[in-house]
Amino acid sequence: MSSPAPTIAKSAPKTFHVKSFGCQMNVYDGERMAELMAADGLTATDDAAAADLVVLNTCHIREKATEKVYSDIGRLRKHAREQDRAAPMIAVAGCVAQAEGEEIVRRAKVDVVVGPQAYHNLPRLVADAAAGAPALDTDMPLASKFGALPARRRVGASAFLTVQEGCDKFCTYCVVPYTRGAEVSRPFDAIVEEARALVDAGAREITLLGQNVNAWNDAENRGLHGLIRALDRIPGLARIRYTTSHPNDMAQGLIDAHRDVETLMPFLHLPVQAGSDRVLRAMNRSHTRDGYLRLIDRIRAACPDIALSGDFIVGFPGETEAEFAETLRLVDAVGYAQAFSFKYSPRPGTPAATMEAQVPAEVMDDRLQRLQAALNRDQAAFNAATVGRTCRILIERRGKLPGQWLGKSPWLQSVHIVGDYMIGDTVEVTLTQAGPNSVTGMVRDVAAPAAV
């Protein structure tokens, strides 16, 4: 841990607000930081402008992520000046904090900087900052931070649970190995204990998280499939999901779990990134186009009902039009129910950032539009194909219209229904209408407004 120059002493904060950017793991980390601050006696507020302490839980995956952090810091301070009130204490957490470290303190004069493997020290760092002491911690200790976190309390119907962190894959475009560290699996018993606590706190669905979640393992070599089978035995847990997976870690035992475990939802996010073998090698993805497609065939043989999701990067250095066309053909071959797609953005310190033949921005824009058109087409087709099917949805929140509720289908579709329900209910519906982004469900003779 580095030691920047001492700050000016401030009043100890009484209220806090956590703003999380990026992936589901950041959402989980943000929830845990909020629980830490609440356990330390602070009161949460939904209004960042009114909080004494604002925690910016950052993501470093996309381009300009760092600049967005500085913009947020500037807006918070500007608003405080306009309201003639003291600026809040600002803590920068997450992957930008890990990557930037003392530079954030120097440039933005923030009060606390804490990396994703050290946020269990946040209460102490806040106290140090209030006393005017240095408050920066970007260590990546081998000891687990999870044992220092408070017990889980009240949660929503669907909850995240981190089971694995870090990455050993070193894809040439990715900063995760540098900001999250090496792959580490949490202990089996600790995960099961936290899952039970989440169910006791109200969760009906748990999504297991990891940078490479299907790389989770333990000394008994149970693998993620063994963990899922253990969680399946927890009374009251109706649904299990997991994300994000790597094709090379998709073991047969996990594929079989999709066939055998009723609580494991028929949805799989399995990033491929590109359809060209040459591009995949340049990305250091360690799988091939053919290997990925054969894996998809095995998964569908075990679970024909499964909905597939993926990640794609267009415009990786050196990508030709012919290689991009291979990606489009792969999309056609798979038929994704959902997908995420991005233009390549160079991340400082990664090998790809200094590769030759960087693709012009206008070429990336054009390719992204064509890729997203294909992905949107397939998502709409998947939604349309589910019309007429009966399934159970998990109610997660109220909809925008009177009497409307929003839930998730087994295939992770947003489903609108109307009726008298509570968050956490599971309701059997018939899917009656499909839109590009959601579907409509009908319960008995009561139908929801049209899908969007």
Side-chain angles (χ1 to χ4, degrees):
M1 181 174 72
S2 302
S3 298
T7 58
I8 299 172
K10 293 188 175 184
S11 299
K14 297 180 180 179
T15 60
F16 73 93
H17 175 83
V18 178
K19 180 178 180 180
S20 291
F21 305 81
C23 66
Q24 296 99 324
M25 189 171 288
N26 261 26
V27 175
Y28 173 88
D29 288 347
E31 291 172 351
R32 302 301 269 143
M33 282 187 270
E35 291 167 354
L36 276 166
M37 301 316 298
D40 206 45
L42 279 69
T43 301
T45 174
D46 291 332
D47 184 3
D52 300 328
L53 165 68
V54 176
V55 181
L56 300 175
N57 186 28
T58 61
C59 176
H60 203 256
I61 295 297
R62 305 313 311 155
E63 188 177 12
K64 299 181 180 177
T66 303
E67 295 307 317
K68 290 178 182 177
V69 173
Y70 290 119
S71 295
D72 262 20
I73 294 167
R75 280 193 293 270
L76 287 167
R77 289 173 175 161
K78 181 175 182 288
H79 187 271
R81 289 194 301 270
E82 292 172 347
Q83 299 299 311
D84 195 27
R85 64 184 294 266
M89 181 182 291
I90 296 175
V92 178
C95 291
V96 171
Q98 187 69 39
E100 297 290 310
E102 287 190 39
E103 175 64 14
I104 299 176
V105 180
R106 184 195 66 78
R107 179 174 167 184
K109 305 297 189 292
V110 297
D111 304 281
V112 175
V113 175
V114 59
Q117 303 302 346
Y119 69 72
H120 57 292
N121 294 322
L122 184 59
R124 173 181 61 77
L125 294 168
V126 169
D128 288 347
L136 183 148
D137 192 343
T138 53
D139 281 352
M140 289 190 181
L142 292 176
S144 172
K145 67 190 171 194
F146 294 96
L149 298 174
R152 305 308 303 266
R153 294 186 176 137
R154 188 172 180 272
V155 297
S158 183
F160 292 131
L161 172 53
T162 292
V163 302
Q164 179 272 340
E165 285 195 289
C167 184
D168 295 340
K169 301 295 190 289
F170 287 93
C171 298
T172 56
Y173 53 81
C174 186
V175 297
V176 166
Y178 312 103
T179 58
R180 288 277 183 172
E183 287 183 359
V184 176
S185 294
R186 290 184 64 190
F188 177 92
D189 290 343
I191 295 169
V192 174
E193 180 181 355
E194 185 170 341
R196 291 184 186 279
L198 287 169
V199 173
D200 290 344
R204 299 280 286 142
E205 173 183 272
I206 291 178
T207 299
L208 309 178
L209 300 179
Q211 267 80 38
N212 288 311
V213 67
N214 54 343
W216 183 89
N217 212 343
D218 65 356
E220 297 183 31
N221 199 31
R222 281 178 272 208
L224 187 65
H225 53 283
L227 177 61
I228 287 171
R229 290 178 187 273
L231 298 181
D232 176 59
R233 295 192 288 271
I234 296 178
L237 180 57
R239 294 182 167 195
I240 301 170
R241 302 185 188 272
Y242 62 93
T243 195
T244 290
S245 300
H246 193 286
N248 283 21
D249 294 319
M250 199 71 199
Q252 187 61 45
L254 186 53
I255 296 173
D256 293 343
H258 276 283
R259 179 194 63 208
D260 301 336
V261 181
E262 186 175 352
T263 55
L264 181 58
M265 292 295 96
F267 181 90
L268 174 62
H269 183 67
L270 192 64
V272 62
Q273 304 300 0
S276 158
D277 282 345
R278 191 206 65 80
V279 173
L280 290 170
R281 286 193 301 272
M283 289 179 168
N284 195 34
R285 283 294 290 170
S286 67
H287 61 83
T288 65
R289 172 198 180 92
D290 182 64
Y292 181 86
L293 291 174
R294 284 188 283 107
L295 177 60
I296 295 296
D297 288 342
R298 288 167 52 207
I299 293 165
R300 282 181 163 151
C303 183
D305 199 30
I306 201 160
L308 293 168
S309 173
D311 285 348
F312 293 88
I313 295 172
V314 302
F316 188 80
E319 182 189 62
T320 66
E321 180 62 26
E323 288 168 340
F324 171 68
E326 292 185 71
T327 296
L328 293 178
R329 287 194 292 273
L330 183 141
V331 168
D332 292 343
V334 174
Y336 291 94
Q338 299 178 17
F340 301 93
S341 53
F342 309 94
K343 292 181 289 186
Y344 167 74
S345 59
R347 312 310 302 133
T350 61
T354 57
M355 287 181 179
E356 296 180 356
Q358 299 283 325
V359 176
E362 61 272 17
V363 174
M364 287 197 284
D365 288 339
D366 174 69
R367 290 177 184 171
L368 184 64
Q369 289 178 27
R370 286 187 282 154
L371 174 61
Q372 289 182 340
L375 294 171
N376 291 340
R377 173 204 67 202
D378 288 350
Q379 179 172 326
F382 179 87
N383 286 345
T386 61
V387 170
R389 299 191 66 174
T390 298
C391 65
R392 299 196 71 82
I393 67 169
L394 175 65
I395 302 294
E396 294 185 349
R397 59 182 174 85
R398 290 186 177 274
K400 295 181 179 179
L401 302 177
Q404 187 183 60
W405 293 88
L406 182 67
K408 287 292 196 303
S409 77
W411 309 285
L412 205 64
Q413 300 157 298
S414 293
V415 182
H416 297 279
I417 64 171
V418 295
D420 185 16
Y421 303 107
M422 295 180 62
I423 293 172
D425 285 349
T426 56
V427 182
E428 186 167 317
V429 305
T430 299
L431 303 180
T432 59
Q433 185 177 353
N437 301 309
S438 66
V439 295
T440 299
M442 184 175 68
V443 184
R444 298 187 181 92
D445 297 324
V446 181
V452 295

